[in-house]
Each structure stands twice: as structure tokens, then as C-alpha cells.
């Protein structure tokens, strides 16, 4: 129980707030005119997604985290796209969209602190230029927005 409390306390509040607002906005846009139980399941999946990768890092003792890498991020974007376009599970869709947003927030936070995402590219053979890192981050945001629009439709 102490690990769960520490996990919840260690998460930056701004990440929780941004993701919570995102989830609420998605619920309102998608289900405002036609409320259903799916909205609750979507929100539950999204709430789980806020802490899912952090919990996995703690549970499996992963240091450095393989979830904070461009390889995982790229593969996850593909999986998230598949889930959003193919799944009927609102828990699953909420989970993947929330996880994707958490990874983007991790990257933005690291960018603001370090002015680069070098730690995300450790698994890549050579150094990646700052302009390439920035471009890939922008592309990741665009993919997230496209997945969000597909979900809302």
C-alpha cells in the first residue's frame, strides 16, 4: 500500500491535471448529447493509464525505463492507433490515449529541463540532432491528435 501511495504522490500533479482535463473534454465531446456507460469506462481506462507505466517501472524495477525510449514510443503509437481504430473496449481506448499523453508529457518535461531528449534515444546507434528530436516530438503530437480525432468521430 505504501508503494501505491508513493506512486500517486510521485506523479507530477500537472500530468494528472492535464490528462484529467483531456479525458473530461473527450467524454463531453463524444457523449454530451448521448450519455452512456461507455463514457465511464473510457474515463476509468484513462485514469488507469495515468499511472500504468509508472507502476510497471516500479513493479518490474526497470532502470533506466524502456518505456522512456523512442523505440517504445514508436511501437506504442502503432499499437495505440490499432486500438483506437479497431477496439470496441472503451477501457482500452481510454488507457492507450492516456498512456500516449503521459509519454508526450514526459518528453515535453524533459525537453523543458534538458533542452533535448537524448535519454529517449539511448537505444539508437548514434547521436540524434536536436532538430530531429524536435521534429519527431511534433510528429508524435500530430499522431496523438489524429488518434484523438478518430476516437471522437
Amino acid at each position: 500500500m505504501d508503494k501505491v501511495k508513493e506512486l500517486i504522490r510521485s506523479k507530477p500533479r500537472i500530468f494528472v491535471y492535464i490528462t484529467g482535463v483531456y479525458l473530461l473534454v473527450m467524454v463531453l465531446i463524444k457523449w454530451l448529447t448521448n450519455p452512456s456507460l461507455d463514457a465511464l469506462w473510457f474515463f476509468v481506462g484513462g485514469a488507469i493509464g495515468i499511472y500504468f507505466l509508472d507502476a510497471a517501472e516500479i513493479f518490474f524495477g526497470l532502470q533506466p525505463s524502456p518505456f522512456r525510449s523512442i523505440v517504445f514510443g514508436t511501437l506504442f503509437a502503432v499499437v495505440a492507433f490499432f486500438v483506437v481504430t479497431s477496439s470496441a473496449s472503451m477501457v482500452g481506448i481510454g488507457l492507450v490515449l492516456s498512456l500516449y499523453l503521459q509519454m508526450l508529457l514526459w518528453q515535453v518535461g524533459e525537453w523543458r529541463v534538458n533542452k533535448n531528449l537524448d535519454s529517449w534515444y539511448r537505444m539508437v546507434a548514434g547521436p540524434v540532432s536536436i532538430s530531429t528530436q524536435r521534429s519527431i516530438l511534433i510528429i508524435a503530437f500530430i499522431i496523438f491528435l489524429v488518434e484523438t480525432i478518430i476516437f471522437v468521430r
Side-chain angles (χ1 to χ4, degrees):
M1 192 63 167
D2 290 336
K3 284 190 176 190
V4 172
K5 288 180 184 175
E6 179 59 30
L7 173 68
I8 292 170
R9 271 183 271 167
S10 68
K11 184 65 132 181
R13 289 187 189 266
I14 191 73
F15 285 26
V16 177
Y17 294 150
I18 289 171
T19 306
V21 167
Y22 169 78
L23 293 171
L24 284 173
V25 168
M26 291 302 98
V27 165
L28 290 173
I29 290 172
K30 187 152 179 89
W31 289 287
L32 181 63
T33 59
N34 189 15
S36 79
L37 196 55
D38 284 345
L40 175 65
W41 290 120
F42 172 78
F43 196 83
V44 167
I48 292 168
I50 293 172
Y51 296 101
F52 191 82
L53 291 179
D54 297 302
E57 289 172 349
I58 292 169
F59 182 78
F60 293 111
L62 301 172
Q63 284 299 344
S65 174
F67 304 128
R68 299 174 194 238
S69 73
I70 195 65
V71 174
F72 179 80
T74 302
L75 294 173
F76 186 80
V78 172
V79 170
F81 187 80
F82 175 76
V83 170
V84 169
T85 59
S86 303
S87 179
S89 170
M90 289 300 127
V91 173
I93 294 170
L95 180 74
V96 297
L97 288 175
S98 179
L99 286 173
Y100 199 148
L101 182 56
Q102 292 302 300
M103 288 191 302
L104 290 173
L105 292 172
W106 284 343
Q107 290 179 51
V108 168
E110 186 169 327
W111 188 274
R112 294 188 73 201
V113 171
N114 299 332
K115 305 296 185 230
N116 65 57
L117 296 174
D118 290 344
S119 69
W120 283 76
Y121 291 88
R122 278 185 296 233
M123 297 175 91
V124 179
V128 178
S129 72
I130 299 297
S131 62
T132 302
Q133 292 177 17
R134 184 180 316 118
S135 298
I136 292 172
L137 181 57
I138 290 168
I139 290 168
F141 265 108
I142 292 169
I143 292 169
F144 176 73
L145 290 173
V146 167
E147 290 178 4
T148 297
I149 291 166
I150 290 170
F151 166 68
V152 170
R153 290 182 3 136

